[in-house]
Amino acid sequence: MAQVLEFRLPDLGEGLTEATIVRWLVEVGDVVAVDQTVVEVETAKAMVDVPCPYGGVVTARFGEEGTELPVGEPLLTVAVGAAAAGEGDEGSGNVLVGYGTAAPPARRGRVRPSSVTGAPASRAPATPTGVSADAASVVAAANGGRELGRAGGGPAARSGDGDRPVADGRYGPGRVADDRPVDGDRGGVAVIGDGPVPVISPLVRRLARENGVDLRELEGSGPDGLILRADVEYALRAAATGQVRAPAAAEPLRAPAVGHGAVAPIGAPLAQSPHQPATALGASPHGTRIPLRGIRGAVADKLSRSRREIPDATCWVDADATELMQARAAMNSAGGPKISLLALLARICTAALARHPELNSTVDMEAREVVQLDQVHLGFAAQTERGLVVPVVRDAHARGAESLSAEFARLTEAARTGTLTPRELTGGTFTLNNYGVFGVDGSTPIINHPEAAMLGVGRIVPKPWVHQGELAVRQVVQLSLTFDHRVCDGGTAGGFLRYVADCVEQPAVLLRTL
């Protein structure tokens, strides 16, 4: 006899309390194997593939793509046992915190529905978004004749276009609750009306829907015409300011080629769509309200906590980086893997932390103790399309320049593509912030709580400098250290920064630590 098991959104680790459904990888009626990835979700930190610990027939899914679910809410139900003959009927127990399992996805099967009955299903997240007729019979058998997903006297309705669930029976087959015709999903690209619309992000689709922008009338500026958030925001501003007419089907509104990941200029508010009242954007007479959600919300919470709890101070110094740049050029000209400047700075950081371990620590206020850490897990700030993230290089103190270069490159690419795991974004003990890539000299950054310090590196530019008693043009960089004054006094912080500057000016100083 079949047993129906409910799979809830697991704890994704590191204090994450919710996730947004990006893409379903299974549909109701599919046969899934134990530990098969069933859904792709986006947290405030990363994209995560979620595996199902049960093998059997998917009988219901909870939440449409773009829906935000709290941890512990139902994701789907699976009928295991007789109805899933030939498949695993036991849970793996491998719902890992923050990770999927290593087993490759099994070949998808499908139990085809034999009939369709119509009754609107609730759109609440805890109500299944679709239940096939055959799957419902399996559930009914397991539940003593009671069918899952019944609302108003019948099981949830389904359209005839590839078993896609109907979110609300009022809209009829092939339509979802926002009254847009939907033909299906093709590899994460929304299909609206007559053909595919190149948009992947559920956030972009939601922004367009809430503001009356027809995605079919936009030309994306991303790779292969991908529609980005910047394209939708441009269309809203253009329509409101009268630069162009409001979108019309006969005349596509073309967004400028602002480049992948581009955003609206600072201070340029989202314009009100001519099709929606001001309240649709949450606007007030004084501007537009933008919810702090996802990664932006997580960053806001963490930075606010750091400002509340950490009494920070900053010191800085200019350094002549000419010899460091020459040393790097000599290393790279000798052949072998290229050494990045960030890797050399990281190597200098770990050597300085070995001399001043107070800065590789955290504060336990409940115990009223400073905890000095034995290992250096080095975070580095990276700006991505999703926002600011801080990937972490584990055991940086045990790595050489080549290993550090390779790990920085790997984590940077993962940050760019949004594939960093929660473990790769947490657990740092010290942060290296290379804000010189933004073309600025200095900064007083906010410490990445619960760490105790952050080294900032500005741009390296030619400047007049007294070298060996004579005025010369040298490659100069500004270094700054922001530190938690609870873990040390200014003498320790100054000694750390002076040692870093000495290594930048005379890389041979590092030889003493090898």
Side-chain angles (χ1 to χ4, degrees), residues 362-376:
T362 187
V363 177
D364 184 348
M365 286 303 295
E366 290 188 3
R368 299 193 68 80
E369 295 176 342
V370 175
V371 183
Q372 292 188 8
L373 306 170
D374 297 328
Q375 298 172 314
V376 178

Side-chain angles (χ1 to χ4, degrees), residues 377-447:
H377 301 316
L378 188 65
F380 66 100
Q383 191 70 36
T384 71
E385 184 178 300
R386 298 179 65 237
L388 178 68
V389 295
V390 184
V392 176
V393 177
R394 301 279 166 177
D395 299 318
H397 61 288
R399 296 175 181 264
E402 287 188 8
S403 176
L404 287 167
S405 293
E407 188 67 356
F408 280 131
R410 184 187 72 81
L411 292 172
T412 299
E413 177 62 18
R416 187 187 66 80
T417 57
T419 57
L420 287 167
T421 65
R423 184 176 185 273
E424 292 170 333
L425 285 164
T426 53
T429 64
F430 186 93
T431 295
L432 175 59
N433 189 352
N434 181 20
Y435 45 74
V437 297
F438 300 115
V440 297
D441 295 322
S443 173
T444 55
I446 299 175
I447 295 174

Side-chain angles (χ1 to χ4, degrees), residues 233 237 265 267-271 287-288:
E233 292 175 344
R237 291 196 306 274
L270 286 177
T288 300

Side-chain angles (χ1 to χ4, degrees), residues 15 21 61 66 80 83 105 117 172 180 196 223 235 277 328 341 351 365 387 459:
I21 297 174
R61 299 187 319 194
V80 302
T117 54
R180 295 176 182 264
R328 175 174 176 255
L341 179 60
M365 286 303 295
R459 59 177 181 164

Side-chain angles (χ1 to χ4, degrees), residues 153-365:
R158 298 187 59 80
S159 71
D161 54 352
D163 300 333
R164 184 181 181 87
V166 176
D168 194 319
R170 295 173 298 168
Y171 296 91
R175 306 186 75 83
V176 294
D178 65 353
D179 206 18
R180 295 176 182 264
V182 176
D183 302 321
D185 288 335
R186 301 174 185 171
V189 177
V191 181
I192 303 177
D194 299 330
V197 175
V199 55
I200 295 176
S201 170
L203 303 179
V204 173
R205 292 200 293 267
R206 181 186 301 174
L207 179 65
R209 182 173 63 250
E210 291 177 351
N211 295 284
V213 175
D214 192 338
L215 292 172
R216 291 170 295 185
E217 298 176 355
L218 296 185
E219 180 174 313
S221 60
D224 299 322
L226 181 68
I227 296 176
L228 307 176
R229 177 174 178 171
D231 301 325
V232 178
E233 292 175 344
Y234 172 80
L236 292 173
R237 291 196 306 274
T241 58
Q243 294 174 356
V244 293
R245 291 193 300 274
E251 284 189 40
L253 178 62
R254 300 180 181 271
V258 293
H260 185 61
V263 296
I266 295 175
L270 286 177
Q272 176 188 339
S273 166
H275 307 295
Q276 293 287 335
T279 54
L281 278 174
S284 70
H286 305 292
T288 300
R289 294 179 178 269
I290 301 175
L292 283 173
R293 296 174 180 165
I295 191 169
R296 191 71 258 163
V299 169
D301 291 341
K302 192 158 192 175
L303 296 183
S304 297
R305 182 179 182 184
S306 179
R307 272 289 188 239
R308 286 194 307 269
E309 297 184 8
I310 299 178
D312 61 330
T314 302
C315 53
W316 55 90
V317 66
D318 288 342
D320 180 0
T322 305
E323 290 192 19
L324 180 66
M325 300 298 287
Q326 292 173 348
R328 175 174 176 255
M331 295 167 72
N332 288 336
S333 65
K338 298 297 183 182
I339 305 300
S340 68
L341 179 60
L342 190 61
L344 294 179
L345 293 170
R347 186 69 187 85
I348 292 172
C349 270
T350 57
L353 289 172
R355 285 174 164 256
H356 302 279
E358 300 93 333
L359 295 170
N360 190 55
S361 62
T362 187
V363 177
D364 184 348
M365 286 303 295

